[in-house]
Amino acid sequence: MALRPTQAIPEFGEDDLLVHEELHILAPGRPFTLLLVFLSLAVAALLRTFLKETKIPILVLIFFIGIALGLVAHFPLQLDFVKDVANIDPVLFLHLFTPAIIFTAAFDMDFYIFRKSFWQVVILAVPGFLMNCAFLAWLTYKVNKHNWSWDDSMLFGIILSTTDPVLSVASVKNIGLSKIVINLIKGESLFNDATTVIIFDLYRDLIHKRHREVVKEIVLKLLLKFLGSSVLGFLSSRIIIYWLQNVFNDGIIEVVLSFTMAYMLFFIAEWFGMSGVISLCIMGLLLDSVSFSPGVDLFLYRFWAMLTFLAHVMIYLIMGIVIAQKTLPYLSTRLIFYIITVYISLNVVRASVILILSPFLSRLGYGFNWRWGAVIVWSGMRGTFTLNMALALSQEDHPGAGEITTSILLYSGTTSLFTLIINSTTVKKLVMTLGLCNITLPKRMAMHNAVKRIRQMEANTFSVLKLDRFLADANWAMAEEAITIEYPYKLDREEIVNLNQVIHCPECNTDISFERSPQQIADLMEEARLRLLTAQMASYRKQYCSGMLNRDAAQTLIGAAESYVDIKGK
């Protein structure tokens, strides 16, 4: 049997062989953009690890890292992949990051609170947004020394009037602030973003005269973007719920379903001229934790929280690179003064709009007061949509628009940075100063009694353990110090007296029992009512997780309990 000739060994080029000195060691043509993405996420995770207990916003540091990369690519090194990032397509930017942020914010909202405060959200997100745009545009047109036209000023006002639904509540959602205020901030941001995108696109089309029949096309677009988007979002939620009814306890399918449907819905809505933001808002609001299998909801929340974190990291990294690459020729010492002026004007205008609308807001939903208004004003972080619209405007090719659009990009990026540096780090202090996180006396009384009971149990347990001969050599002082529980709330002398059922008479040296005032009794009953409802909802969720209640029954019972939270005495 004849042997076949040995196959020739293919020759490798010098670019492919790892030969020292004579040939190149590093392989060419590597996807460095991909490396930049994962390296940035790793740096963000590292910063989150070490700065978790500090007030330093991680996104600010990521933004400066992006600026550093952009500057390095400008001068010493010609980093082509950094320049590719700086020229990212605004449509790709929008479709990559927006669905994760919008769906996370909408899915995390309390539907029953949102339903009652719906008209407050609408007033803040539509007339409030339009007033904000007009005031900012007028200030920019009158005060700005760059000689911008009214159209440029109006676009600038639209860009700066939108707020980020996740960043706006990130600093206040876990400090004891009322869910009503948090949902009001988040709801305003969500529908504010939807209004922003619609108005920005319509106004830009009017400037460039892209409409043949202006009135007809605008009416059609508005119908599609408001009505059509709402219908599409509702139908998508029904499809997901129907699909989930045929899936049980398969977390992978359920998480993948929520992820793919969110991105597909956004793409389809934008493709057919509707609003992807509104569609995602409706779909997210109509889904809740009970829509998914028992135990999947926690993983789902963490998955979307991770996506949102990654999206914000990439947004601020990209914007740092874009600003460093595109605005460097226009930098000057006067810009610092202009940037500070824009930031101050932004907050003054927002405060003025809230003040004008407060008489209407106070008559709707849960009411309104000046302290809520102050928190809403100061928590308005500029983020995803501000940066996306500024990026889209900076990449338009129109004669003479280069310097203006670049200035808008610079002001928008730095204003977003200022809101992160100043507003997000001080809004918690503002909430505390205004007394919006004050714990009621009945709640502090309950906590005082709970801690007192735990301490008594500790003392009894230690007394028994100290008699155990096998523990004779134990360091009891260290053990007692390790398990010491402090009272989480500080109580003054008057409140400590109110915790007791008796008053000590110094003259006769006897304890005299007393009755609580009607207001104290009412507060105690209200606290007990809320605790009962909370325990009821927790019980329904537990029964759903254990299979004692089906999905429909759990949603009905939890919804009924939540609807009674707002009705005192029920």
Side-chain angles (χ1 to χ4, degrees):
M1 183 176 180
L3 295 175
R4 295 183 180 179
T6 306
Q7 293 182 350
I9 299 174
E11 296 182 359
F12 293 92
E14 64 177 11
D15 290 335
D16 297 318
L17 293 175
L18 301 179
V19 182
H20 196 55
E21 290 183 355
E22 295 184 1
L23 302 178
H24 294 291
I25 293 178
L26 299 178
R30 300 296 95 183
F32 286 103
T33 305
L34 194 62
L35 175 64
L36 176 63
V37 170
F38 289 107
L39 186 61
S40 304
L41 299 179
V43 170
L46 187 67
L47 291 173
R48 185 181 172 94
T49 302
F50 288 104
L51 302 178
K52 194 170 185 179
E53 302 300 326
T54 67
K55 293 183 178 180
I56 302 174
I58 297 172
L59 296 179
V60 173
L61 300 180
I62 295 295
F63 186 87
F64 284 119
I65 290 173
I67 288 178
L69 283 171
L71 292 176
V72 167
H74 233 300
F75 294 112
L77 299 173
Q78 296 297 320
L79 302 178
D80 293 333
F81 66 93
V82 174
K83 295 181 179 180
D84 292 338
V85 172
N87 293 316
I88 186 172
D89 183 6
V91 177
L92 177 62
F93 185 94
L94 182 73
H95 283 70
L96 271 178
F97 306 122
T98 302
I101 293 170
I102 296 298
F103 181 79
T104 302
F107 185 65
D108 196 38
M109 283 190 69
D110 190 310
F111 176 75
Y112 293 93
I113 293 178
F114 171 77
R115 186 173 61 179
K116 187 167 182 178
S117 59
F118 174 76
W119 290 111
Q120 291 177 305
V121 169
V122 170
I123 288 175
L124 287 169
V126 182
F129 168 78
L130 295 176
M131 290 169 64
N132 215 79
C133 295
F135 290 164
L136 280 174
W138 181 82
L139 275 175
T140 305
Y141 184 68
K142 291 294 183 182
V143 178
N144 191 5
K145 301 299 182 183
H146 293 298
N147 296 320
W148 289 1
S149 66
W150 170 255
D151 291 334
D152 297 326
S153 303
M154 191 64 191
L155 286 174
F156 185 57
I158 293 170
I159 289 172
L160 287 185
S161 296
T162 184
T163 54
D164 192 291
V166 174
L167 297 180
S168 294
V169 298
S171 301
V172 297
K173 67 178 181 179
N174 292 322
I175 61 174
L177 183 63
S178 170
K179 277 188 176 182
I180 298 169
V181 184
I182 292 175
N183 277 269
L184 201 57
I185 295 170
K186 193 181 293 184
E188 183 223 356
S189 296
L190 282 171
F191 286 85
N192 178 314
D193 293 340
T195 309
T196 301
V197 175
I198 293 169
I199 299 299
F200 181 76
D201 289 340
L202 288 176
Y203 199 86
R204 194 168 52 166
D205 290 345
L206 287 173
I207 293 173
H208 302 318
K209 299 179 180 178
R210 295 172 180 168
H211 298 292
R212 295 182 180 179
E213 299 181 22
V214 178
V215 177
K216 183 179 178 181
E217 291 187 26
I218 288 178
V219 170
L220 181 61
K221 280 189 175 182
L222 290 176
L223 285 174
L224 275 173
K225 289 185 179 295
F226 284 105
L227 185 60
S229 303
S230 301
V231 172
L232 182 62
F234 173 79
L235 293 176
S236 301
S237 68
R238 296 300 99 186
I239 291 171
I240 293 176
I241 290 172
Y242 177 76
W243 194 334
L244 290 173
Q245 288 175 348
N246 297 287
V247 176
F248 182 76
N249 205 24
D250 193 333
I252 294 177
I253 290 179
E254 297 183 41
V255 172
V256 170
L257 177 62
S258 69
F259 175 70
T260 54
M261 284 296 292
Y263 274 84
M264 286 170 57
L265 175 62
F266 187 84
F267 184 91
I268 292 170
E270 292 290 327
W271 188 21
F272 284 96
M274 291 179 277
S275 171
V277 177
I278 292 180
S279 297
L280 275 177
C281 285
I282 301 298
M283 186 180 80
L285 284 168
L286 294 177
L287 296 174
D288 56 19
S289 59
V290 184
S291 302
F292 297 86
S293 296
V296 177
D297 55 335
L298 182 61
F299 177 68
L300 194 68
Y301 280 118
R302 290 181 176 176
F303 173 79
W304 282 102
M306 179 201 67
L307 282 185
T308 305
F309 174 72
L310 300 184
H312 277 122
V313 168
M314 293 311 304
I315 287 168
Y316 278 88
L317 178 78
I318 292 171
M319 289 312 300
I321 293 173
V322 169
I323 288 176
Q325 283 279 302
K326 295 190 175 183
T327 65
L328 190 64
Y330 302 95
L331 294 179
S332 65
T333 54
R334 293 182 302 173
L335 279 177
I336 299 176
F337 172 75
Y338 293 153
I339 291 168
I340 294 173
T341 304
V342 169
Y343 170 75
I344 294 173
S345 303
L346 193 72
N347 289 288
V348 170
V349 167
R350 184 167 170 81
S352 303
V353 170
I354 296 293
L355 182 63
I356 293 169
L357 295 176
S358 58
F360 305 99
L361 296 171
S362 61
R363 289 169 171 78
L364 297 169
Y366 294 95
F368 198 78
N369 58 61
W370 68 271
R371 295 186 300 169
W372 288 12
V375 174
I376 290 173
V377 169
W378 202 244
S379 63
M381 311 297 166
R382 273 58 180 180
T384 307
F385 286 89
T386 296
L387 301 175
N388 178 257
M389 289 184 291
L391 178 65
L393 206 60
S394 69
Q395 294 191 6
E396 288 187 347
D397 292 327
H398 294 289
E403 184 175 352
I404 294 174
T405 56
T406 304
S407 299
I408 290 175
L409 174 65
L410 177 62
Y411 291 143
S412 301
T414 50
T415 302
S416 173
L417 193 66
F418 267 60
T419 58
L420 277 178
I421 295 173
I422 300 173
N423 294 44
S424 69
T425 56
T426 56
V427 68
K428 182 178 178 179
K429 182 67 176 177
L430 175 66
V431 171
M432 297 294 185
T433 303
L434 294 175
L436 291 173
C437 290
N438 288 345
I439 308 300
T440 61
L441 180 59
K443 186 172 288 188
R444 280 182 281 178
M445 291 170 61
M447 181 61 70
H448 178 90
N449 292 329
V451 173
K452 186 177 178 180
R453 175 63 177 163
I454 291 172
R455 286 182 173 180
Q456 290 175 349
M457 293 172 64
E458 285 178 0
N460 296 335
T461 304
F462 266 86
S463 299
V464 174
L465 292 176
K466 285 178 181 178
L467 299 175
D468 192 333
R469 60 190 180 89
F470 295 106
L471 301 175
D473 297 331
N475 189 341
W476 294 108
M478 185 179 70
E480 289 176 353
E481 183 181 354
I483 65 167
T484 300
I485 298 177
E486 299 294 338
Y487 289 109
Y489 311 128
K490 293 183 179 179
L491 300 171
D492 57 31
R493 186 179 298 276
E494 181 181 354
E495 291 172 340
I496 291 173
V497 170
N498 287 334
L499 291 174
N500 302 310
Q501 298 293 330
V502 295
I503 297 177
H504 183 76
C505 178
E507 295 181 359
C508 57
N509 196 27
T510 57
D511 293 332
I512 304 171
S513 63
F514 76 101
E515 294 183 358
R516 301 189 185 278
S517 66
Q519 182 60 44
Q520 288 178 332
I521 294 174
D523 291 342
L524 285 169
M525 292 301 294
E526 177 63 15
E527 183 65 26
R529 184 186 72 86
L530 293 175
R531 284 175 176 269
L532 177 62
L533 287 172
T534 303
Q536 260 189 311
M537 289 186 282
S539 174
Y540 295 147
R541 289 191 177 94
K542 187 176 180 180
Q543 291 178 57
Y544 171 66
C545 291
S546 62
M548 297 173 66
L549 290 175
N550 62 21
R551 183 177 284 114
D552 294 334
Q555 287 177 332
T556 302
L557 291 170
I558 292 171
E562 286 184 338
S563 66
Y564 274 93
V565 170
D566 307 323
I567 307 173
K568 290 189 176 183
K570 295 289 186 179

